């Protein structure tokens, strides 16, 4: 099954988006690759990394409006894996005993088709359909 997946990004929640972008870009040498502000969802996403998202796994920094502090235990969001056929992949994972936390469907406020599964420890893994 390993040839069916591509590791896309890791998401972490941040208290101050500009401070976090400065840290990853200025201190760690990453580049800001893209930023998406979603006023209806009350969040902003910034993707940073060492190369294009097509060829590299990147870091997604998520700033939720009005949140200036997270407990350490809530800082981690999810892992993301790209798949070609999300419905077939979810069914194969379900048959293998994986817990399906969110059935395939479009992301809120967008059109990207996603699903979520959970690992044995409860960590969420987002599956993103990629053609």
């Amino acid at each position: 099954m390993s040839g069916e997946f591509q590791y896309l990004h890791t998401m972490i929640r941040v208290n101050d988006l500009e401070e976090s972008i400065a840290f990853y870009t200025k201190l760690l040498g990453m580049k800001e690759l893209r930023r998406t502000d979603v006023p209806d969802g009350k969040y902003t996403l910034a993707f940073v990394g060492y190369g294009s998202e097509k060829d590299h796994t990147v870091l997604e920094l998520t700033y939720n409006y009005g949140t200036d502090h997270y407990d350490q235990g809530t800082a981690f969001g999810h892992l993301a894996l790209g798949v070609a056929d999300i419905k077939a992949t979810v069914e194969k994972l379900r048959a293998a005993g994986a817990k399906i936390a969110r059935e395939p469907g479009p992301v809120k406020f967008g059109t990207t088709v996603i699903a979520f599964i959970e690992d044995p420890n409860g960590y969420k893994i987002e599956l993103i359909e990629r053609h």
Side-chain angles (χ1 to χ4, degrees), residues 2 9 43-44 52 57 59 64 67 69 91 100 111 114:
S2 65
H9 65 262
Y43 64 89
T44 302
S52 104
T57 302
L59 183 61
N64 293 292
T67 303
H69 175 75
E91 288 310 313
I100 310 303
T111 59
I114 66 168

Side-chain angles (χ1 to χ4, degrees), residues 67-130:
T67 303
D68 61 0
H69 175 75
Y70 289 96
D71 295 326
Q72 190 66 19
T74 60
F76 180 79
H78 64 268
L79 301 177
L81 299 173
V83 299
D85 183 338
I86 198 163
K87 289 180 181 179
T89 300
V90 166
E91 288 310 313
K92 186 183 289 187
L93 292 168
R94 185 189 324 273
K99 180 178 179 182
I100 310 303
R102 182 194 189 277
E103 295 293 332
V107 66
K108 287 183 181 180
F109 311 108
T111 59
T112 303
V113 178
I114 66 168
F116 277 90
I117 60 172
E118 286 185 17
D119 81 355
N121 301 291
Y123 285 106
K124 300 254 188 308
I125 300 167
E126 180 182 23
L127 303 176
I128 301 174
E129 190 165 72
R130 302 186 46 103

Side-chain angles (χ1 to χ4, degrees), residues 17-98:
L17 186 60
E18 296 307 320
E19 180 182 57
S20 295
I21 290 171
F23 175 84
Y24 287 101
T25 60
K26 293 179 181 173
L27 296 182
L28 300 181
M30 293 183 182
K31 292 181 174 29
E32 182 176 348
L33 303 170
R34 64 183 168 103
R35 189 185 300 211
T36 304
D37 190 38
V38 184
D40 290 342
K42 298 183 179 173
Y43 64 89
T44 302
L45 308 176
F47 290 79
V48 296
Y50 294 110
S52 104
E53 291 177 80
K54 181 180 180 229
D55 301 314
H56 296 83
T57 302
V58 299
L59 183 61
E60 173 186 340
L61 306 174
T62 298
Y63 173 72
N64 293 292
Y65 299 179
T67 303
D68 61 0
H69 175 75
Y70 289 96
D71 295 326
Q72 190 66 19
T74 60
F76 180 79
H78 64 268
L79 301 177
L81 299 173
V83 299
D85 183 338
I86 198 163
K87 289 180 181 179
T89 300
V90 166
E91 288 310 313
K92 186 183 289 187
L93 292 168
R94 185 189 324 273

